[in-house]
Amino acid sequence: MWKEENNRLYKKFEFGNFSEAFAFMTRVALAAEKMDHHPLWTNVYNKVEIWLSTHDAGDIVTEKDRTLAKKIDALI
């Protein structure tokens, strides 16, 4: 479940290994690029953390972030 905190949507994902995490990040990157809306994220081995906010709106959560979050969830 995505949490809204500090004007960002946040979610942590955990996978079986690094390859699965990286494959997920690749799918997210393609979806984000299509929307021209790019996440702040980290990856350490099998964990991916994502923070979403809209920079053009003053770094707050907008409908664009919620839409991307739904697309990201659909990639699992």
Side-chain angles (χ1 to χ4, degrees):
M1 170 173 263
W2 290 88
K3 296 179 191 173
E4 190 168 339
E5 55 187 39
N6 300 319
N7 291 321
R8 292 182 175 155
L9 289 180
Y10 167 80
K11 189 168 182 180
K12 183 176 184 178
F13 299 86
E14 193 165 334
F15 299 91
N17 57 45
F18 177 74
S19 293
E20 289 176 16
F22 196 87
F24 168 72
M25 291 179 71
T26 300
R27 293 190 302 273
V28 170
L30 294 171
E33 185 64 18
K34 285 181 185 176
M35 289 183 65
D36 192 29
H37 192 51
H38 307 96
L40 170 64
W41 58 7
T42 61
N43 166 241
V44 177
Y45 182 57
N46 68 331
K47 294 175 181 67
V48 177
E49 291 181 83
I50 301 176
W51 294 266
L52 300 174
S53 65
T54 302
H55 307 295
D56 295 346
D59 290 320
I60 61 169
V61 175
T62 67
E63 193 56 37
K64 197 170 188 179
D65 302 299
R66 295 182 197 292
T67 298
L68 182 53
K70 288 177 188 170
K71 289 183 181 205
I72 290 170
D73 283 343
L75 296 173
I76 297 295

